[in-house]
Amino acid sequence: MSVAMIKAIASAEIRSTRRLARYWPFTILSVVFVSVVTGQTFFIHAMGSGLSASLGSLGPRYAIANAGFIAVILFLVSLIFLVFDIRHRDVRDRMVEVLDTRPITNIELVLGRCLALVFMTWLPMLFIFTVLQAFGFVATKLGIPGGTMEPYSVVSFLFAALSSLALWCALIAFLTLIVRNRLIVTLVAAAILIAQMWAMFMSPGFLAPSL
C-alpha cells in the first residue's frame, strides 16, 4: 500500500468533490443551521438565565453538546449523498477503464477517497466551531449575548466527530460495493442512521456513550 498513491487519490477526490453541485448547498445549509441554532441558544440564555434555571442551563460554556450533536447528524446525512454514488460517478465520467488499468489497489482507492470525503465534511465543522469560539470571545469583550465554549470539549468533540465521519464513510462505501443500486444504498444508510438515533434516545443514560 503506497502512501503517495493514497495521497494522490485523496487530492483528486477533493477536487472532484468541490465541483459537485450538491456539496455546497448541503455544506452551506448545515453551517448556517448550526450557527443560527447555537446563536439562538446564546441569546435565550442571555435574556432568560436570570429568570429560569432551565434557561440558565443553556449556557455557552457547554453548548458544544447540543450544537455538536446537530452538526454531526447533518454532516452524516451529507456524507450519505456524497458517497452513495461514488462508483456511478466513475462510470458516468468514463473513469472506470482508467482506474482499472492503473496500478491502484482497491484498498488504496477506497482509503484515499474516504479520507478525502471525510476531510471535506469535517472541515466545515472545524470552521463552524472556530467561528463560534471567536464570536464568543468577542461577545464577552463587548458585553453582547454569547460566550466561549469549553475549549477542551470543543477539541475533544472535533476528534470524536472525525472518527464518526470516518466510520460512517467506510460503512457507506462498503454498502456501495455490495449493493449497486444507489437508491437502496441511500435508504439502507438512512435506516441505519435513524435506528442509531432511536437507540441513543431510547437507551438508558449509562449506555449513551457506546451509541
Side-chain angles (χ1 to χ4, degrees), residues 18 21 23 35 61 64 73 79 121 139 151 160 166 172 175 181 200 204:
R18 287 204 308 261
Y23 172 74
S35 301
R61 184 169 179 80
I64 188 67
I73 295 301
L79 201 54
T121 49
I172 303 173
L175 289 175
N181 189 295
M200 184 181 66

Side-chain angles (χ1 to χ4, degrees), residues 38-55:
T38 307
Q40 183 184 32
T41 303
F42 289 174
F43 181 79
I44 292 174
H45 173 265
M47 296 295 104
S49 59
L51 304 175
S52 169
S54 297
L55 296 180

Side-chain angles (χ1 to χ4, degrees), residues 67-146:
F69 175 76
I70 296 172
V72 167
I73 295 301
L74 289 175
F75 284 104
L76 288 180
V77 173
S78 175
L79 201 54
I80 293 176
F81 292 97
L82 290 177
V83 184
F84 82 110
D85 69 337
I86 195 168
R87 184 66 176 173
H88 176 76
R89 276 187 275 144
D90 292 338
V91 176
R92 182 191 62 200
D93 299 335
R94 298 180 179 178
M95 290 296 295
V96 176
E97 294 83 2
V98 176
L99 291 173
D100 290 341
T101 58
R102 298 291 293 175
I104 305 173
T105 65
N106 289 334
I107 294 178
E108 290 172 343
L109 181 61
V110 173
L111 184 58
R113 285 183 156 178
C114 283
L115 287 175
L117 293 171
V118 167
F119 175 75
M120 292 298 288
T121 49
W122 181 78
L123 194 60
M125 298 175 69
L126 177 63
F127 171 79
I128 292 172
F129 293 104
T130 301
V131 170
L132 287 176
Q133 280 292 77
F135 170 78
F137 179 79
V138 173
T140 56
K141 298 298 182 182
L142 299 179
I144 60 177

Side-chain angles (χ1 to χ4, degrees), residues 1-82:
M1 189 167 59
S2 171
V3 175
M5 185 65 72
I6 293 173
K7 182 179 178 181
I9 295 169
S11 299
E13 188 65 27
I14 288 174
R15 290 193 296 270
S16 177
T17 302
R18 287 204 308 261
R19 292 194 294 267
L20 279 178
R22 61 179 175 271
Y23 172 74
W24 293 107
F26 269 114
T27 300
I28 293 172
L29 287 175
S30 298
V31 169
V32 171
F33 184 79
V34 174
S35 301
V36 169
V37 169
T38 307
Q40 183 184 32
T41 303
F42 289 174
F43 181 79
I44 292 174
H45 173 265
M47 296 295 104
S49 59
L51 304 175
S52 169
S54 297
L55 296 180
S57 65
L58 300 176
R61 184 169 179 80
Y62 302 109
I64 188 67
N66 183 52
F69 175 76
I70 296 172
V72 167
I73 295 301
L74 289 175
F75 284 104
L76 288 180
V77 173
S78 175
L79 201 54
I80 293 176
F81 292 97
L82 290 177

